Amino acid sequence: MKISQFAYIPTNHQTIIKELKDTRFLDAQNLHIENPRALFRNLLIRLYSMHENMTTRIEKISGLLATPTENANIYTSQTGPVTKKAFYNVGLQLLGFLESLDFSINDPLAAMNKIGLPVIDGPDTFNCDQLIDAWYRLLNTRNKFGQLLIDWLAGKGYYQQFVSDADFAKPLFFNGKSQAVFDTSSLIRETVYVESPLDTDHDGKRDLLKINVIRPAETDSGFKAPVIFTADPYSEGMNVKWAEKYAHDNRRPLKRKEPNQLTYTDVEYHYKDVSLPAPRTVKGETTKAGETFSKLWSYSLNDYFLARGFAVVYSGGVGTRDSDGLRTTGTRAETIGATSVIEWLHGDRTAFTNRTDQIAIKAWWSSGEVGMTGRSYLGTLSTAAAFTRVNGLKTSIVEAGLADYYDYYRENGLVVAPDGDDADALAEYTFSRQQSAADYATIKDKWLAHLKQMKLDQGHDSGSYNPFWDARKIEKVNHTKADMLLVHGLNDWNVKTSQVWNSRNRLKSRPITQKLILHQGQHEYLNNFRSFDYTDIVNLWLTNKLFNVDNHVNDTLADVIVQDNAQPETWTAYQDWGGSESESISYPLNNLINLNENNFISDQLPEEDYKAYDHDLDKWHHDLYFRGGSEMDYHCIRLLTKPLTEDLVIDGRPSVSLQVMTSQGFGMISVALVDYGKAKRLTETPQTIDSMRILQGYHWRRDDLKEFLPQKKETDFKRITQAHMNMQNRENSYKVDELKAISFYTLNIPFQPTFWRLLKGHQLGLVIYASDMEYTVHGNQDVIYTVDLKKSYLNIPKLR
């Protein structure tokens, strides 16, 4: 077990005393205690002060072992200094670690070091000042269950005894983070309708957008809450069955495309000025919403902040249930839908209590400071809103968000969306207006015509870039003034790493602070992990951005944090990703070990094998990379380096330059980098360590404790990254080149960016193949590809 902690802010002694006073661990009485053990006893009694009975508190303290022969009650009843060993023996038990299982009572410091827990510098015994500093650091240490000790205490009711005290600070900040001192049992839930500057369904009225607000009850008494906003197109329901008929079958042949001489100017999308309907007439104003709700899907990270003085807002956006408009999958209209909500929260836009009466309601309870959160589509809208420079948005926390819809559904002139997905299918999937029968009856014909046009414009058969996709290139408009926290999985093959790579590099041109976290998962949330203090990082971040607390997060938090793939529960800080700290190394392909001694690929499988792989993609993946021989041996080229003499860290975007010939007048090439070597690799989906263990507040939500853990069995290989290219789009994704059979062409193919450690003794592999059973069209065509290995190279960005 290893625990990393990046969100601790080094704090001087005077500030420590102030913050311990604010949290009621120190006061004028115990600050005058001169005996360190007596002070330690007093602090322990206060830690258990949620138990009113003193006998109960003493019983709790007596249950802690301070030395091999004394419990903490006996130890602290004596006079003298507190030994570092005794303090951390008690501390480890308060953090939930078990003596003889997790640590030895004879050497607690060894366990602290092994687990990665902080120990303050200083002598082997603590005087009172040193004890205070150590206590503060212990409260700000993560426990065995993935929480800071102070957060665990809050969940047990520590702060509850003080909240009715008029002198007790609300909001309360401790080590730069907001504390769970707000009453979640009396949260206010209300629904309002924001009027957007849109008419996407062309009904002559501006689109009203339903939003759901959850705010602290304290806002009714004058507290102005900062707002966490999640734009969630799935929140009002999903059309699972209806969307199935819009799926596209990739079991079809690759088609030759007619060559062209297009430039970017030819495919650039230009928004047209449209005449908007006049705003609705305001017929009155109120501070009381006309609608409430009891429960909706919520993001557990947002729930965590409801106990800490933040309000949380959810909106489905245009085309979702109880809102107006049409779903468009990534156009500017969806972005404006999100920014309209932010403008209302900031005081710059009108909302109504319902869809009919035109009674306006302001976000009078809001401080006007807004941050966005969300993963995938939700994170994409967080990015898009930030890029507009909308007033009021101070930060976006983007988990697995898009920068470019083309790169989600396409790659280098090929369709690469799994499961037949495409923009029209996602639009139908999220058009939850369809679930309201009477509403849908009024819009059905428009909606079906809109979907038909989307299907035509997206060019699913072509795979080339066109104006449809240019209208959905989020990163091309970059006016960001909000600070950005980007999070992405290095094994995410839904939203691939090129998305965060491109967002990050575009944002470098803006005068903002941005941070990046890369983990080893797929399309996952990180807010409930044992080894990594993601929730604390976000707390530190949002406390700074939305409460305007000067907690030095911009300077203290590492610019890039990466989870190691070769060592479990290991997270490392870096200055950059694929930047100046890396150097490029080149491998001539002819110098690599050619496992099957072939330089050609037959893309046509025996029909029996093709059908078997089509129904078992895991077997196809295995046989594609397996170096022990399989049915895929002559349907791919497998090239390996010699065993590495030292660790190799791939840092950034590898690429391969191939000389390729096809037997037809069309063709595609796929490539994958593979880590070969026996190892128990990390799972790509998190495993539950302890169910409902994390306390998000007093009598509030709980969350599972999770972790990426090593697999139980060794495997011989792991795909690192991959890429695909239509040979007719070898220059770019919109210009279609001539392709003649039996002629060699140069393909320069960038892989999806990565950060990957290959251990000494492992081998780096390059697998070259054609159609991809999971991502590309695959018609089992009779096409032969030949690669001139003497004129082909693999380029790897290597961490120095």
Side-chain angles (χ1 to χ4, degrees):
M1 183 192 315
K2 295 174 67 176
I3 294 176
S4 296
Q5 190 167 346
F6 292 91
Y8 177 74
I9 301 299
T11 307
N12 63 48
H13 184 66
Q14 290 306 313
T15 302
I16 286 173
I17 289 177
K18 177 188 179 302
E19 292 190 10
L20 288 174
K21 284 181 177 180
D22 291 341
T23 54
R24 304 294 174 90
F25 279 105
L26 290 180
D27 57 23
Q29 178 185 7
N30 63 1
L31 277 172
H32 285 91
I33 296 176
E34 297 181 354
N35 174 16
R37 294 200 190 186
L39 177 58
F40 192 19
R41 181 181 185 82
N42 184 275
L43 293 172
L44 288 171
I45 287 172
R46 292 177 184 233
L47 181 142
Y48 288 114
S49 58
M50 67 282 288
H51 305 292
E52 293 185 8
N53 186 282
M54 183 60 70
T55 301
T56 302
R57 298 186 202 180
I58 298 301
E59 287 176 354
K60 296 291 184 182
I61 297 171
S62 298
L64 303 170
L65 201 57
T67 72
T69 59
E70 296 174 305
N71 66 45
N73 180 41
I74 295 173
Y75 182 81
T76 59
S77 297
Q78 304 168 20
T79 300
V82 175
T83 68
K84 186 178 287 188
K85 278 188 175 183
F87 180 84
Y88 287 110
N89 274 330
V90 172
L92 281 164
Q93 293 164 81
L94 292 176
L95 294 171
F97 295 98
L98 301 178
E99 198 279 326
S100 78
L101 180 64
D102 299 316
F103 74 100
S104 167
I105 198 73
N106 293 307
D107 194 0
L109 300 181
M112 297 285 290
N113 181 64
K114 182 179 179 180
I115 298 169
L117 303 177
V119 175
I120 69 164
D121 295 332
D124 292 336
T125 57
F126 294 153
N127 61 28
C128 285
D129 284 343
Q130 292 161 341
L131 178 68
I132 288 170
D133 289 350
W135 184 256
Y136 178 84
R137 191 65 181 92
L138 181 66
L139 292 171
N140 286 291
T141 297
R142 284 166 61 77
N143 66 13
K144 189 176 180 178
F145 313 117
Q147 286 191 278
L148 296 178
L149 178 56
I150 190 68
D151 279 350
W152 183 85
L153 291 172
K156 289 292 186 180
Y158 174 77
Y159 287 131
Q160 190 64 23
Q161 61 192 309
F162 310 124
V163 293
S164 60
D165 186 340
D167 294 330
F168 188 68
K170 291 174 69 176
L172 176 68
F173 306 108
F174 192 63
N175 195 241
K177 306 169 195 70
S178 53
Q179 297 297 292
V181 296
F182 286 80
D183 183 6
T184 52
S185 68
S186 57
L187 290 167
I188 298 167
R189 295 171 172 85
E190 54 195 12
T191 300
V192 302
Y193 296 83
V194 170
E195 185 180 55
S196 70
L198 298 165
D199 181 17
T200 57
D201 51 16
H202 309 293
D203 64 352
K205 295 180 289 185
R206 294 193 177 201
D207 293 343
L208 287 178
L209 305 178
K210 175 184 178 181
I211 71 170
N212 292 311
V213 175
I214 311 172
R215 57 183 174 90
E218 290 83 352
T219 53
D220 275 350
S221 302
F223 171 63
K224 299 290 186 180
V227 186
I228 297 171
F229 169 42
T230 298
D232 180 6
Y234 307 112
S235 62
E236 295 294 335
M238 292 158 278
N239 297 339
V240 178
K241 291 297 183 182
W242 279 310
E244 288 177 356
K245 65 180 181 180
Y246 290 93
H248 300 264
D249 191 352
N250 284 340
R251 300 175 186 87
R252 54 193 172 89
L254 179 68
K255 297 179 181 178
R256 173 179 170 79
K257 294 190 276 192
E258 191 64 31
N260 62 47
Q261 295 298 320
L262 292 178
T263 65
Y264 175 67
T265 302
D266 298 314
V267 298
E268 185 177 10
Y269 183 85
H270 298 280
Y271 282 97
K272 300 174 183 177
D273 292 331
V274 295
S275 179
L276 274 176
R280 289 166 176 80
T281 301
V282 175
K283 296 182 179 180
E285 293 188 11
T286 183
T287 58
K288 184 173 178 58
E291 185 179 341
T292 187
F293 60 93
S294 58
K295 190 173 178 60
L296 78 167
W297 175 91
S298 61
Y299 176 21
S300 61
L301 182 68
N302 290 354
D303 291 342
Y304 167 89
F305 282 103
L306 283 167
R308 288 159 173 78
F310 295 80
V312 173
V313 169
Y314 295 95
S315 174
V318 291
T320 59
R321 191 167 186 167
D322 298 330
S323 293
D324 298 327
L326 305 178
R327 297 303 302 162
T328 59
T329 309
T331 65
R332 189 168 67 176
E334 292 185 354
T335 303
I336 292 173
T339 57
S340 295
V341 176
I342 297 168
E343 288 169 337
W344 176 70
L345 293 167
H346 191 248
D348 305 325
R349 185 161 294 283
T350 300
F352 298 101
T353 58
N354 58 46
R355 297 176 51 83
T356 305
D357 292 339
Q358 296 174 215
I359 304 299
I361 183 169
K362 294 181 179 180
W364 51 268
W365 44 265
S366 166
S367 71
E369 309 284 343
V370 182
M372 291 190 74
T373 59
R375 182 191 68 182
S376 197
Y377 207 158
L378 292 61
T380 301
L381 288 164
S382 298
T383 300
F387 276 32
T388 67
R389 194 171 55 190
V390 60
N391 286 334
L393 183 63
K394 299 300 183 181
T395 185
S396 282
I397 300 172
V398 180
E399 300 181 72
L402 302 187
D404 186 344
Y405 277 81
Y406 179 84
D407 286 346
Y408 180 76
Y409 289 107
R410 310 282 188 267
E411 185 177 0
N412 299 317
L414 288 172
V415 173
V416 294
D419 304 322
D421 193 14
D422 215 332
D424 60 336
L426 183 59
E428 171 60 30
Y429 188 78
T430 56
F431 184 61
S432 50
R433 281 187 74 177
Q434 194 162 343
Q435 298 179 22
S436 298
D439 184 28
Y440 183 53
T442 67
I443 199 73
K444 181 177 180 179
D445 291 343
K446 286 181 181 179
W447 173 245
L448 294 178
H450 170 73
L451 269 187
K452 184 177 180 180
Q453 191 64 47
M454 281 189 71
K455 183 176 181 180
L456 176 67
D457 293 345
Q458 68 192 4
H460 187 86
D461 288 339
S462 165
S464 292
Y465 192 87
N466 63 23
F468 177 91
W469 296 109
D470 195 59
R472 292 158 173 81
K473 189 176 181 68
I474 295 167
E475 62 174 288
K476 79 172 189 174
V477 178
N478 180 22
H479 304 302
T480 315
K481 62 180 181 180
D483 290 340
M484 305 290 284
L485 177 58
L486 308 177
V487 185
H488 215 99
L490 290 164
N491 287 291
D492 192 339
W493 293 101
N494 178 348
V495 178
K496 304 178 188 72
T497 52
S498 61
Q499 301 286 351
V500 69
W501 175 268
N502 291 337
S503 284
R504 176 172 168 76
N505 288 326
R506 285 285 283 142
L507 288 167
K508 285 181 177 180
S509 66
R510 300 297 301 162
I512 63 167
T513 297
Q514 65 155 311
K515 306 290 183 178
L516 172 67
I517 297 169
L518 297 172
H519 61 83
Q520 291 300 323
Q522 298 177 357
H523 208 54
E524 307 293 344
Y525 288 117
L526 279 188
N527 55 291
N528 52 0
F529 277 65
R530 179 176 65 191
S531 66
F532 183 53
D533 59 335
Y534 177 69
T535 300
D536 303 329
I537 288 172
V538 176
N539 191 338
L540 193 70
W541 185 261
L542 290 181
T543 298
N544 172 259
K545 308 307 174 188
L546 303 188
F547 271 121
N548 297 310
V549 172
D550 185 14
N551 58 19
H552 310 292
V553 65
N554 290 356
D555 302 321
T556 303
L557 184 62
D559 287 339
V560 179
I561 301 173
V562 182
Q563 184 186 14
D564 194 286
N565 60 279
Q567 298 293 331
E569 300 180 292
T570 301
W571 302 76
T572 306
Y574 296 93
Q575 292 183 346
D576 204 352
W577 179 31
S580 59
E581 79 284 359
S582 296
E583 60 182 358
S584 180
I585 55 176
S586 181
Y587 296 93
L589 299 195
N590 199 48
N591 292 348
L592 299 179
I593 300 167
N594 189 334
L595 285 184
N596 301 113
E597 298 184 347
N598 64 320
N599 67 336
F600 67 90
I601 302 163
S602 171
D603 201 33
Q604 188 172 54
L605 289 158
E607 191 64 20
E608 185 177 334
D609 291 340
Y610 175 77
K611 290 181 179 179
Y613 285 142
D614 189 48
H615 288 88
D616 190 349
L617 290 176
D618 288 341
K619 178 173 173 53
W620 175 74
H621 276 291
H622 175 273
D623 289 0
L624 176 65
Y625 306 129
F626 185 53
R627 55 178 169 174
S630 74
E631 286 83 354
M632 289 294 297
D633 282 359
Y634 293 99
H635 303 281
C636 67
I637 301 170
R638 301 189 191 97
L639 307 170
L640 277 73
T641 65
K642 294 177 181 178
L644 299 173
T645 57
E646 59 182 12
D647 287 3
L648 169 66
V649 178
I650 303 173
D651 175 23
R653 187 157 211 170
S655 63
V656 63
S657 178
L658 301 177
Q659 285 283 314
V660 183
M661 177 173 67
T662 173
S663 63
Q664 304 283 355
F666 56 86
M668 63 172 141
I669 287 293
S670 299
V671 287
L673 287 183
V674 183
D675 178 355
Y676 284 104
K678 296 286 186 182
K680 292 182 179 179
R681 293 176 166 86
L682 296 181
T683 58
E684 296 176 2
T685 54
Q687 308 301 302
T688 299
I689 299 172
D690 207 336
S691 180
M692 297 289 104
R693 171 58 76 170
I694 298 173
L695 308 176
Q696 296 187 324
Y698 181 60
H699 289 176
W700 185 223
R701 306 281 175 81
R702 290 173 176 257
D703 204 356
D704 294 337
L705 183 65
K706 296 189 175 185
E707 193 60 63
F708 297 118
L709 297 175
Q711 298 168 340
K712 294 181 179 179
K713 294 182 180 180
E714 285 187 336
T715 56
D716 182 51
F717 57 83
K718 173 74 169 64
R719 178 188 62 190
I720 302 169
T721 183
Q722 65 182 22
H724 313 276
M725 178 175 281
N726 190 317
M727 293 181 67
Q728 289 193 263
N729 290 94
R730 54 189 178 271
E731 290 186 53
N732 56 55
S733 57
Y734 45 84
K735 182 177 180 292
V736 178
D737 298 309
E738 180 62 75
L739 186 69
K740 296 180 179 179
I742 320 302
S743 296
F744 278 101
Y745 294 90
T746 300
L747 307 181
N748 293 308
I749 308 175
F751 287 93
Q752 293 295 321
T754 190
F755 194 106
W756 192 266
R757 182 185 304 277
L758 289 97
L759 295 176
K760 176 182 177 181
H762 284 213
Q763 293 170 272
L764 175 62
L766 172 66
V767 178
I768 306 169
Y769 57 112
S771 59
D772 190 300
M773 299 286 284
E774 184 174 10
Y775 286 100
T776 70
V777 296
H778 45 278
N780 207 32
Q781 294 166 275
D782 184 12
V783 188
I784 304 294
Y785 298 90
T786 304
V787 181
D788 187 344
L789 299 176
K790 293 181 181 179
K791 296 181 180 179
S792 301
Y793 302 87
L794 173 63
N795 301 298
I796 298 294
K798 171 189 174 183
L799 188 67
R800 297 178 191 272

